[in-house]
Amino acid sequence: MTYTPHGKHLIAGEWTLADTTFRSDPAHGPSHAYGEATPDLVDRACQAAEDAFWSYAETTRAERAAFLNAIADEIEARAAAITALATQESGLPQARIEGERGRTTGQLRLFASHILNAGYLDIRMDPALPDRTPAPRPEIRMIQRPLGPVAVFGASNFPLAFSTAGGDTASALAAGCPVVLRGHHAHPGTAEIVAEAVQAAITSCGMPAGVFSLLQGGGNTVGQALVSHPLIRAVGFTGSLRGGRALFDLCAARPEPIPFFGELGSINPMFLLPEAMAARGEAIAQGWAQSLTMGAGQFCTNPGIAIALDGPEAEAFATAAQAALEGVGAQVMLTDGIAKAFRQGRDTACGVGGVQTLAAGTRADGREVRPVLLKTTAAIWAADPALRHEVFGPLGILIIAKDADEMLALARDLEGQLTCTLHLDAGDTVLARRLMPVLERKAGRLLANGFPTGVEVCDAMVHGGPYPASTNFGATSVGTMAIRRFLRPVAYQNMPGALLPDDLRKG
């Protein structure tokens, strides 16, 4: 099955032409023209979302679940065409796209199943106590209610699972909120075909037309217009710290500030404890190399640094990691811009005094890169902020701490992270217990004897963390708790049953 993009925006059920266009820049295959969004189109999409909210927010949980499942069905019906187009645009291999498509439909179905149980609404009821002294108590009931229209920004590194019908869109729709989606310029064709799947589900389920709109292009002007629009009530974003912080500041500066749920990246440190290193350091090094280079290192959970104690085990680990990384060939990055930024980050880190380059990663150009492995001391790493910044791509830094106290000091000095990992054996428990209270304050997900790439979509998952990993430490963008971002609690005091939301009245 082939698909030829038409380059139109989707607004309130209609595919709309634009006056100006931009061209896609695929890793391979043909380029196509797409309409450039404008602030006027943003306004039309937001108005349509607001109009849709009044009826969509009142749909039953069963109706929304059927809608989410229908979107998943429509995506699977276009599976071959989505795979062909997404691999061309992103340069990602077919197996990766097929796996990501399964994750996308899987999380849609997970949210559908989750909302059929009203537990996520956190319903609470306190009965009236008319005879209480010295004052009677009224009846009070509480339930979570949808916020309103949500703006979602597609991610560069996940053309499916964090983009058009990805986790932010799925969780907002599950909550009862319409979505205005800003497609990512790296994969506009993929955004378009998935939007067609969403529109088909809107039609088959009889949902209001404005419940989902797709806007493409338009640069910073359109992004700013979207987050600043007075009808948008929250924003979901996955991307760079610089871009995310700019949008976050816009949300905070609005006359009526709104929540910005930004996932902004992380260096995801791994702490290599001595007993584990002595027992299986080479295996850990090989696993680290595989995790670092998965998807050319273009994951927000890429484990960018590993911290070990000084000694022969650390030297053996460095040798094993170097050998594993030097065996990895050139890999294609998602865009020319991402490849350029990777090289800039690599060159900056390599240029820091006291940093040793073990694997140089220089034998590639264009959109291709090779893995980089650096080594330095904890003191040098702590003294130079340039080493603490995420380098988006296959670059790892091995940091040598002179003792356990210096390892603990490094942990305390970390910024907020998505993940922190401990590689440990039973004999490492005492040191691990010293580290755990620190790491709990630093990250949203803690791992033991694993690698953080690969984020399970399930009830208990937390994909978020203290700033700068994300802009809201109490939220997650993966897992069923993601729905809570787009709900707010409302209490009803002595309210007649006929005026209560259905779920609260039944409760």
Side-chain angles (χ1 to χ4, degrees):
M1 179 180 178
T2 59
Y3 177 83
T4 302
H6 50 69
K8 299 177 182 178
H9 306 286
L10 176 63
I11 301 176
E14 297 183 359
W15 290 99
T16 304
L17 286 169
D19 294 332
T20 60
T21 62
F22 69 96
R23 295 200 69 85
S24 61
D25 185 21
H28 56 84
S31 173
H32 299 280
Y34 297 87
E36 289 271 15
T38 63
D40 178 64
L41 292 176
V42 169
D43 181 61
R44 288 171 54 186
C46 292
Q47 291 285 351
E50 176 70 7
D51 292 343
F53 177 72
W54 299 108
S55 57
Y56 186 64
E58 299 305 317
T59 55
T60 66
R61 289 178 283 111
E63 289 170 335
R64 293 198 302 280
F67 178 39
L68 294 171
N69 282 320
I71 295 173
D73 291 342
E74 295 290 350
I75 289 173
E76 292 296 353
R78 295 160 174 78
I82 289 172
T83 297
L85 193 51
T87 53
Q88 287 178 8
E89 290 187 321
S90 67
L92 295 171
Q94 179 177 333
R96 158 67 193 275
I97 293 298
E98 290 175 347
E100 190 182 331
R101 189 185 70 245
R103 172 176 171 159
T104 304
T105 56
Q107 63 192 5
L108 283 160
R109 299 189 194 283
L110 175 65
F111 287 138
S113 174
H114 184 72
I115 62 174
L116 289 176
N117 183 318
Y120 77 101
L121 295 171
D122 195 20
I123 294 172
R124 305 181 185 201
M125 291 180 286
D126 289 301
L129 299 175
D131 297 325
R132 189 183 68 175
T133 58
R137 183 180 76 183
E139 178 193 79
I140 301 177
R141 302 187 179 207
M142 188 273 283
I143 192 172
Q144 302 284 338
R145 295 293 288 159
L147 289 177
V150 172
V152 173
F153 287 74
S156 64
N157 59 334
F158 280 88
L160 297 171
F162 280 86
S163 290
T164 310
D168 287 344
T169 296
S171 52
L173 293 176
C177 298
V179 169
V180 179
L181 189 287
R182 166 72 182 281
H184 198 282
H185 63 84
H187 41 77
T190 307
E192 180 182 295
I193 191 173
V194 175
E196 289 195 352
V198 177
Q199 180 57 35
I202 290 172
T203 300
S204 66
C205 294
M207 292 296 172
V211 75
F212 177 85
S213 291
L214 167 68
L215 301 171
Q216 306 255 41
N220 293 338
T221 299
V222 165
Q224 293 166 3
L226 184 54
V227 302
S228 300
H229 198 284
L231 295 177
I232 292 296
R233 312 312 301 161
V235 178
F237 174 89
T238 299
S240 69
L241 174 60
R242 180 180 178 182
R245 182 54 196 252
L247 295 177
F248 173 83
D249 289 345
L250 281 174
C251 288
R254 289 170 38 136
E256 183 182 0
I258 59 172
F260 179 85
F261 298 104
E263 192 272 281
L264 308 181
S266 176
I267 57 174
N268 304 295
M270 301 195 313
F271 292 82
L272 314 177
L273 305 194
E275 293 291 330
M277 286 284 276
R280 47 195 169 84
E282 182 176 351
I284 298 171
Q286 292 170 348
W288 186 37
Q290 292 174 1
S291 186
L292 273 176
T293 58
M294 182 185 296
Q298 298 169 113
F299 291 98
C300 48
T301 55
N302 202 38
I305 65 171
I307 304 101
L309 298 182
D310 194 12
E313 290 82 6
E315 294 302 317
F317 178 89
T319 299
Q322 178 181 352
L325 290 171
E326 287 180 340
V328 177
Q331 296 176 287
V332 178
M333 301 293 273
L334 293 159
T335 69
D336 290 335
I338 291 174
K340 180 180 179 182
F342 172 78
R343 292 191 181 92
Q344 290 173 340
R346 174 200 66 195
D347 294 345
T348 298
C350 289
V352 173
V355 172
Q356 181 182 357
T357 301
L358 302 183
T362 57
R363 301 185 305 277
D365 53 22
R367 201 179 281 196
E368 290 188 340
V369 300
R370 288 182 182 271
V372 177
L373 177 62
L374 308 177
K375 179 184 172 187
T376 192
T377 66
I380 291 172
W381 187 85
D384 199 317
L387 296 176
R388 305 189 194 194
H389 297 160
E390 178 190 24
V391 178
F392 193 62
L395 183 146
I397 305 177
L398 174 60
I399 301 171
I400 305 299
K402 60 186 179 182
D403 54 30
D405 288 340
E406 190 171 51
M407 178 180 279
L408 185 63
L410 188 151
R412 287 175 173 160
D413 200 35
L414 288 169
E415 293 183 312
Q417 305 292 327
L418 294 173
T419 73
C420 289
T421 300
L422 291 170
H423 286 277
L424 74 162
D425 280 355
D428 296 312
T429 301
V430 172
L431 177 53
R433 283 177 174 165
R434 293 181 66 192
L435 286 164
M436 280 295 289
V438 179
L439 302 186
E440 286 174 347
R441 297 183 66 184
K442 299 295 181 178
R445 177 164 60 111
L446 304 181
L447 297 84
N449 297 327
F451 299 94
T453 42
V455 182
E456 187 68 31
V457 181
C458 60
D459 286 327
M461 178 52 66
V462 173
H463 190 60
Y467 185 85
S470 61
T471 56
N472 190 310
F473 63 84
T476 176
S477 61
V478 178
T480 53
M481 202 174 76
I483 300 172
R484 292 289 187 94
R485 297 174 297 169
F486 306 119
L487 298 168
R488 65 181 183 88
V490 178
Y492 300 82
Q493 183 170 321
N494 284 340
M495 191 64 62
L499 300 181
L500 291 170
D502 285 347
D503 285 316
L504 192 54
R505 183 172 64 250
K506 294 172 184 176

